[in-house]
Amino acid sequence: MSTETVVIHQAQHDPIGSLEKLGEFINAIGTLPKWSEGGVLTDKSAQNQLIVLLSETLNVSVRLNLVFGEIEAAFNKLGIADEVHVRHMQGKHLERKHLASMESVIAIWNESQAQSMDIKIKDLPDFLRAIWEKRQTKGRGKSFSKGTLEQLARDSHGYCMFEGCGENLNVEKLTGYTGNFAYNAHIIASSESGPRGVPYLSDYQSDDPENVLVLCDKHHRLIDKVAAVDFDAARLSHMRSSFTHTVESLLEGLSFKPIPAFSVLWPVGGHIVSEPDDRDIANSMSRIRARSLGRLNRLSHNERLYRKKVEVFESSMADIVRAEADEIIQQTQNESYKAALFAFGPMPALVGLGACLGNKCEITPMLRFRDGGYWMWPQDSEVPKPYNIAFDEVELEGKDEVTVCIAMTQYPEAMKRTAEKIGMPTIEIQALAYGNAAIPHPDNGKQLRNDLHALLLKLYDQFSIRKVNLLICASNAVSVFVGQAFDLYQPYLLVYDFDSEVMKPCLQIHYQERKLSLTLPN
């Protein structure tokens, strides 16, 4: 059985000024655990030092104000002997905002992970003094070894790692000459006197491939000469890890099955959404271990008429949705009805689109991740069921109609008021954590689709429910998954959308003579 981690955030208070006071602090904590991670965080010019100690049961932050001769004894009292892990905030000062909470302390601790080394406790005073005194030894650190150069070639694949650049470094575009036009740029400078130079760390990381960006000429000059102050070590390290992760994802896609990818973009309230770019498509489809077969099939793209006159889309919604679904089904016949679907629009339209596509195919909707402003699934793999389904079966007895509230991004008052106004038993499907990423992986979306499919069958067979008022507040992908749950021998759906302070019925989904039908409510 897991226990909650205790947090002791001393660093938000005045520093501890003596070994005696430190002993009293530790005695108040009790028995210290074995730390799984931790050490000293320093900042620019070593103006501040923060001790961070982390374990499964206890997270501690401490600030000390001791003389150098007491440092080793202090760390021994805190359960750290011989060596201490040191992380450096290159180019930044530790500010009050970083000390606002233990969460913010851990965030800045993690951000500085790449600028770190282990130092003998007895050498820590010399390290701090060297930064205080702005020591800048002459000369560069170790030259690049053969192994480091080979690793850099593998990591970069011959392209500039600067965010958004990706220039091919094996060819000069103007003349067409081929060759090696790459610059291997240190993140923590190889020389203590160079851009982003740090005593001890400069020499320690000079031959570490993780401390090197492969860049084109202009971005090498940008980070070292033109705007060095704007590109601190943590930012450059993040840039490197982001590049390598993206490249690995794209190359991994070569082993994935190619399937068609479709975009169906309908404006919402006159507002448009951008279609996915190649990187969005590759990253999104990697979650279903697939890649795009050819170019993106653009079926609908924020048509101007729908943007200017929302009522035109609403009045023709049933026909528009049906036409797009038929086109997708027709174009996937030769692909065993497998495809990725980048669809965005009003929730009733997306539910209707999912219902028309059905659950016998493998057409998987992709998430427009609002928090990031692009198309992606935030989790690499399926998480434990991220929602609950709750209702009282006794209330269903003798009823032929229910209301189903699907609250994923939030559970707004308009939805609650509308459910109360309908006056029928309410089934609540609520996310454990509201937000655009409440369903964070396509397998969780399929899980929701299957659970809702089973629920609708149960309502029809066991309780003789013939109508479901569907009130939904969910992401674009979840809306499609919800529609895919609809099938024969289920109650028909009346799908609602938001209208000021309440919700109004917008689309009816039902079967007529075993054929799915979309109609507008009377």
Side-chain angles (χ1 to χ4, degrees), residues 212-327:
V212 181
L213 277 169
V214 180
L215 299 175
C216 64
D217 179 47
K218 62 177 177 290
H219 287 123
H220 180 223
R221 291 180 60 81
L222 177 70
I223 69 168
D224 276 1
K225 303 291 185 183
V226 178
V229 70
D230 294 327
F231 294 93
D232 58 70
R235 181 179 180 183
L236 296 178
S237 291
H238 175 76
M239 198 179 289
R240 188 189 197 284
S241 63
S242 178
F243 175 91
T244 55
H245 175 75
T246 299
V247 170
E248 287 170 6
S249 297
L250 293 172
L251 292 176
E252 185 183 16
L254 295 176
S255 66
F256 295 158
K257 178 179 176 60
I259 61 175
F262 297 89
S263 69
V264 178
L265 307 180
W266 297 311
V268 178
H271 301 289
I272 64 175
V273 66
S274 60
E275 70 178 20
D277 60 23
D278 290 342
R279 182 181 297 183
D280 289 342
I281 294 170
N283 286 338
S284 297
M285 293 181 66
S286 70
R287 300 297 191 264
I288 58 173
R289 299 194 63 77
R291 58 187 173 93
S292 180
L293 177 64
R295 299 185 64 83
L296 180 69
N297 293 273
R298 298 172 61 181
L299 300 184
S300 185
H301 189 66
N302 302 294
E303 279 75 359
R304 181 181 178 85
L305 178 61
Y306 303 155
R307 299 201 307 268
K308 294 295 183 180
K309 295 184 178 181
V310 176
E311 66 275 9
V312 172
F313 182 86
E314 292 180 346
S315 63
S316 305
M317 184 187 301
D319 294 334
I320 294 169
V321 170
R322 179 84 262 180
E324 303 291 19
D326 289 345
E327 185 70 23

Side-chain angles (χ1 to χ4, degrees), residues 126 211 214 217 260 298 344 355 363 384 417 439 454 459 467 513:
D126 290 338
N211 185 50
V214 180
D217 179 47
R298 298 172 61 181
F344 192 90
I363 297 174
R417 280 193 294 268
I439 301 297
L459 292 175
K467 175 183 178 182
E513 298 179 354

